[in-house]
Amino acid sequence: MTGVLPVTLEKTCKVMDTLLETDKEYVAVMKIHRDVSTEKLNNALAEFQGEIYQVPPARAAVKRRIRIRKIYSIKLLQKKGKYVLFKVHCEAGTYIRKLCVDIGRILGVNSQMVTLRRTRSGVFSEAEAYKPYQVAFAYYMWRERGREDLIRKIVHPVEEALSFLPRIVVKDSAVDPVCHGAYIAVPGVSALSPEIKRGDTVLIQTLKGEAVAIAKANMSTEDIYRRRKGVAANPLKVLMKPGTYSYDTYTEF
Amino acid sequence: MNSLLVKTFYETNPALGKPPEKRGLKELIETGVIPLDKPPSVTSTQVSMWIKKLFSLSKIGHAGTLEF
């Protein structure tokens, strides 16, 4: 199994659970044990579009009970005899190996997954994913030749990995309290994404675009925008080091 | 970047913090993500541990195992 695997370094490991929740895209090769027509296959794949019920495989690390997962799109790319190449865009936590077996069940034949490649994970697509040898080369150029450009291409800031989240931008003086775990008060909000609903996971950002924390919205965009006080969001995970926007050095602009 | 709704306009003090693209390499690595293209011959854990060792990191993680 190959493809996009976002690797988090140091403090970024804290946001792992948020990155795990992102949608994924795969291409997979499935083997069906009895040949079926392309039309029948297309119809079977179409059945899987939308919400599906899935029991995680026996080898899986999660509890084996029926889970509902969304398949945003599933498309046949090529069929060669008993081998079927297809593309799928799905919700996090969808088991493609299981999906292949289930497609066979709809077709009335036995089937299994042969190969899998993840072509996208959250904001990262395979076009911007690096092979280990490229990482090794970039590291070498940095350490031995003092060239930073390659390593800077490979290591992406956490903000980019989290850019799919709705955001709340807070003013400078509100940053440090959040770093210490304080809630995000409405007066501290400078700007925000238009689509926030109460309970959503949001990214708290500085005016300079730095990630401060991952938080749970306590109000919708409309409420935050209209109200003058109250709790806009509660931090779940603080990313910024306390003291970066220390009150001591803060001067009112 | 998707568009934002401005509630109150504030200036930011240039002396505090810095934009993500201005980060030094050490800082960038400390708050970094590598979108890796995992080859078929190694496990997700193996390739993560290899990066951890290469960069002498104290923590590493990978989002979504690509084993089965």
Side-chain angles (χ1 to χ4, degrees):
Chain A
M1 316 301 108
T2 66
V4 185
L5 182 73
V7 175
T8 57
L9 317 177
E10 306 287 26
K11 278 186 273 180
T12 319
C13 295
K14 266 184 134 177
V15 303
M16 181 56 75
D17 51 349
T18 312
L19 293 181
L20 284 171
E21 283 166 24
T22 59
D23 56 330
K24 314 284 192 300
E25 268 175 30
Y26 297 94
V27 286
V29 175
M30 170 175 84
K31 190 187 179 192
I32 46 177
H33 291 208
R34 189 155 44 79
D35 207 353
V36 294
S37 71
T38 308
E39 192 199 344
K40 213 178 151 193
L41 188 61
N42 268 324
N43 290 342
L45 289 179
E47 296 252 0
F48 284 86
Q49 201 133 323
E51 281 188 348
I52 60 161
Y53 293 92
Q54 204 176 49
V55 183
R59 278 173 64 198
V62 294
K63 193 173 178 195
R64 296 194 65 210
R65 59 162 181 225
I66 292 182
R67 313 199 295 185
I68 298 172
R69 286 293 179 269
K70 267 197 203 96
I71 308 288
Y72 304 110
S73 73
I74 182 162
K75 202 182 151 219
L76 176 69
L77 295 177
Q78 206 186 346
K79 184 178 167 294
K80 212 169 188 180
K82 290 174 177 170
Y83 289 92
V84 176
L85 178 71
F86 69 98
K87 193 167 95 173
V88 58
H89 176 202
C90 57
E91 194 181 348
T94 312
Y95 287 96
I96 307 301
R97 189 179 290 276
K98 202 77 190 171
L99 187 70
C100 289
V101 173
D102 292 342
I103 291 167
R105 288 209 172 143
I106 295 291
L107 289 167
V109 298
N110 282 333
S111 63
Q112 75 220 159
M113 191 182 82
V114 182
T115 325
L116 180 71
R117 177 168 175 79
R118 189 189 286 148
T119 51
R120 196 169 64 81
S121 174
V123 298
F124 300 115
S125 70
E126 66 177 332
E128 56 211 348
Y130 295 91
K131 301 221 161 58
Y133 78 85
Q134 292 172 302
V135 177
F137 181 68
Y139 184 83
Y140 168 82
M141 289 306 268
W142 169 40
R143 277 299 154 97
E144 306 294 327
R145 302 282 177 86
R147 268 184 60 180
E148 288 194 0
D149 54 335
L150 291 172
I151 203 95
R152 279 186 181 275
K153 255 190 185 168
I154 286 174
V155 183
H156 293 242
V158 64
E159 285 83 359
E160 196 186 321
L162 297 173
S163 61
F164 66 94
L165 288 175
R167 291 175 289 156
I168 296 179
V169 180
V170 297
K171 61 177 178 178
D172 285 1
S173 60
V175 174
D176 209 46
V178 176
C179 293
H180 286 95
Y183 57 76
I184 294 92
V186 170
V189 176
S190 178
L192 69 166
S193 297
E195 75 275 16
I196 301 168
K197 289 187 295 294
R198 193 191 148 110
D200 280 358
T201 303
V202 296
L203 177 66
I204 309 300
Q205 268 189 334
T206 64
L207 290 157
K208 294 185 188 76
E210 305 147 284
V212 182
I214 287 181
K216 196 174 173 181
N218 191 45
M219 287 183 192
S220 65
T221 296
E222 206 193 342
D223 281 344
I224 299 171
Y225 189 74
R226 275 202 282 158
R227 292 195 190 189
R228 292 163 74 182
K229 55 181 187 182
V231 179
N234 283 301
L236 298 172
K237 294 221 165 100
V238 174
L239 298 167
M240 187 179 270
K241 207 167 108 195
T244 313
Y245 277 69
S246 169
Y247 193 73
D248 302 334
T249 50
Y250 177 78
T251 41
E252 195 73 51
F253 253 70
Chain B
M1 281 229 181
N2 39 359
S3 62
L4 292 179
L5 215 65
V6 178
K7 181 176 162 75
T8 319
F9 185 80
Y10 288 105
E11 297 271 3
T12 178
N13 185 342
L16 300 173
K18 59 168 92 94
E21 60 275 14
K22 294 252 168 70
R23 257 170 222 159
L25 250 191
K26 203 177 151 251
E27 275 175 289
L28 180 67
I29 288 170
E30 267 178 17
T31 64
V33 182
I34 298 178
L36 203 70
D37 189 341
K38 189 187 89 71
S41 51
V42 291
T43 66
S44 304
T45 317
Q46 282 169 339
V47 77
S48 306
M49 291 321 278
W50 173 77
I51 290 180
K52 185 178 170 182
K53 219 173 137 185
L54 181 71
F55 286 85
S56 317
L57 305 172
S58 58
K59 261 187 187 170
I60 195 127
H62 53 87
T65 322
L66 259 178
E67 254 65 77
F68 63 97

